[in-house]
Amino acid sequence: MATDTARRAGRRGRRRFTRRDLAVLVVLLGIPVALDIVIIWGPTLASVGLSFTSWDGIGDIHWIGGENYKNLVDNYPPFWPAVRHNLLWLAFLGLVATPFGLLLAVLIDRGVRFSRFYQSTLYMPVVLSLAVVGFMAQLVLGTDQGVINTVLDNHENPVDWLGDSRINIWMMMLAASWRHTGYVMILYLAGLKSVDPTLKEAAAIDGANARQTFLRVVFPTLRPVNVIVAVITVIESLRAFDIVYAVNKGRNGLELLSVLITDNVIGEASRIGFGSAIAVVLLTVSLGFIVTFLVQELRGARDR
């Protein structure tokens, strides 16, 4: 009888999908996957293929092999400054904005007065697009009645915060960090709320101070949040476009790879093959950072 019961339970566990179940799967799973393939991976693979061609978007497509990449490295002056700016953007967000967001999350998690107000205020820039942040930066940093130059009373000789190629990239990174910090703060704040309080109590009993408790007990438990924050930081820094394009179309010291892609693909030149080569370089750099970090995190989780 026990055997018959187990067989009936097995048959119930292997229940066949009905047509309605299959229809629900197709709608809820198949359509999003199809859209992802068409909208994301389709253009991505097309860009990889077009990067080895010469095409203006209208005429015939001519296969030229790696000529676009050779010209990109050897004969395209804006390329290397754009690479440096993207890497500088990544370093600034990763080493300045992200730790600052973590610091704010820790302070708010400790229950400071008016923490709800601080949390809402610091998160508010996240709802703004970077294009809007760029326009706001123009109002604050502009030479013509800009807020900072007005406060400094530099009417006769105003500082060109956005036009001077030596400092404008730093101003744009500060503006982007204003938005990025709030995002990181919310992610870490959610992670800190999920930390088991008994871990902190045990560390206090063992004689650990607040700093030691955070570094040796709390922060290691935030590894899943660290992965998310790291991936978001890489994506945000390498896809930066709208904030610099809103200021001066990404020129005069604000060159980024995303701007070069736009200028070549939809600009007057219409060099779609050449622009696709820049897009492939940006994709490769992005995947290199993300895959390397995820592999290291997965190895660390497996070793534990």
Side-chain angles (χ1 to χ4, degrees):
M1 180 176 294
T3 304
D4 294 339
T5 303
R7 288 177 178 174
R8 286 195 296 270
R11 285 196 295 269
R12 287 196 298 269
R14 294 192 299 269
R15 183 175 65 87
R16 295 175 62 87
F17 286 113
T18 64
R19 292 184 177 180
R20 181 178 180 180
D21 294 335
L22 293 175
V24 172
L25 283 175
V26 169
V27 172
L28 298 182
L29 183 62
I31 293 179
V33 170
L35 289 175
D36 184 69
I37 293 174
V38 172
I39 298 175
I40 304 298
W41 290 107
T44 299
L45 296 177
S47 296
V48 173
L50 289 172
S51 67
F52 297 99
T53 67
S54 175
W55 187 41
D56 60 1
I58 300 176
D60 297 332
I61 301 177
H62 302 285
W63 181 267
I64 59 174
E67 192 66 26
N68 283 328
Y69 294 97
K70 184 177 183 301
N71 291 332
L72 185 63
V73 173
D74 296 336
N75 302 317
Y76 193 52
F79 175 69
W80 289 114
V83 171
R84 288 194 299 269
H85 292 161
N86 271 113
L87 294 178
L88 181 61
W89 205 286
L90 174 60
F92 195 86
L93 291 188
L95 300 178
V96 178
T98 297
F100 188 59
L102 174 59
L103 174 62
L104 293 175
V106 171
L107 293 177
I108 293 177
D109 183 62
R110 290 182 177 178
V112 297
R113 294 185 62 184
F114 309 114
S115 60
R116 292 290 184 181
F117 171 77
Y118 296 140
Q119 181 177 331
S120 302
T121 303
L122 293 170
Y123 182 76
M124 191 176 300
V126 180
V127 303
L128 303 175
S129 70
L130 280 176
V132 174
V133 175
F135 288 126
M136 294 174 65
Q138 288 181 303
L139 296 176
V140 174
L141 302 171
T143 57
D144 185 15
Q145 297 181 350
V147 174
I148 292 182
N149 280 317
T150 300
V151 171
L152 296 176
D153 197 21
N154 290 338
H155 300 293
E156 299 296 331
N157 188 23
V159 179
D160 195 358
W161 302 102
L162 302 178
D164 191 341
S165 60
R166 297 170 298 179
I167 59 176
N168 55 7
I169 186 67
W170 298 98
M171 296 297 103
M172 289 298 96
M173 289 190 297
L174 283 174
S177 297
W178 176 56
R179 181 177 181 270
H180 183 73
T181 298
Y183 196 6
V184 172
M185 178 201 68
I186 288 296
L187 292 175
Y188 274 120
L189 193 58
L192 290 170
K193 296 295 183 184
S194 64
V195 175
D196 190 352
T198 59
L199 296 176
K200 301 178 182 178
E201 294 173 1
I205 293 174
D206 290 337
N209 56 34
R211 178 175 174 273
Q212 292 172 333
T213 300
F214 177 77
L215 293 178
R216 298 182 181 181
V217 177
V218 176
F219 191 71
T221 64
L222 297 176
R223 182 177 291 271
V225 182
N226 292 334
V227 174
I228 296 173
V229 169
V231 172
I232 290 175
T233 300
V234 172
I235 293 174
E236 286 291 323
S237 59
L238 296 181
R239 75 178 182 89
F241 167 78
D242 35 9
I243 185 171
V244 297
Y245 206 81
V247 172
N248 65 354
K249 299 188 181 298
R251 298 185 175 91
N252 189 30
L254 295 181
E255 294 84 1
L256 296 174
L257 290 175
S258 56
V259 175
L260 301 185
I261 296 171
T262 304
D263 288 343
N264 283 278
V265 172
I266 64 175
E268 296 179 359
S270 295
R271 297 191 296 174
I272 295 180
F274 190 74
S276 297
I278 306 175
V280 171
V281 171
L282 183 58
L283 174 65
T284 304
V285 174
S286 302
L287 290 179
F289 277 106
I290 293 173
V291 171
T292 300
F293 187 83
L294 290 180
V295 168
Q296 294 296 326
E297 289 296 323
L298 291 175
R299 286 179 179 176
R302 184 180 59 188
D303 293 340
R304 292 194 304 274

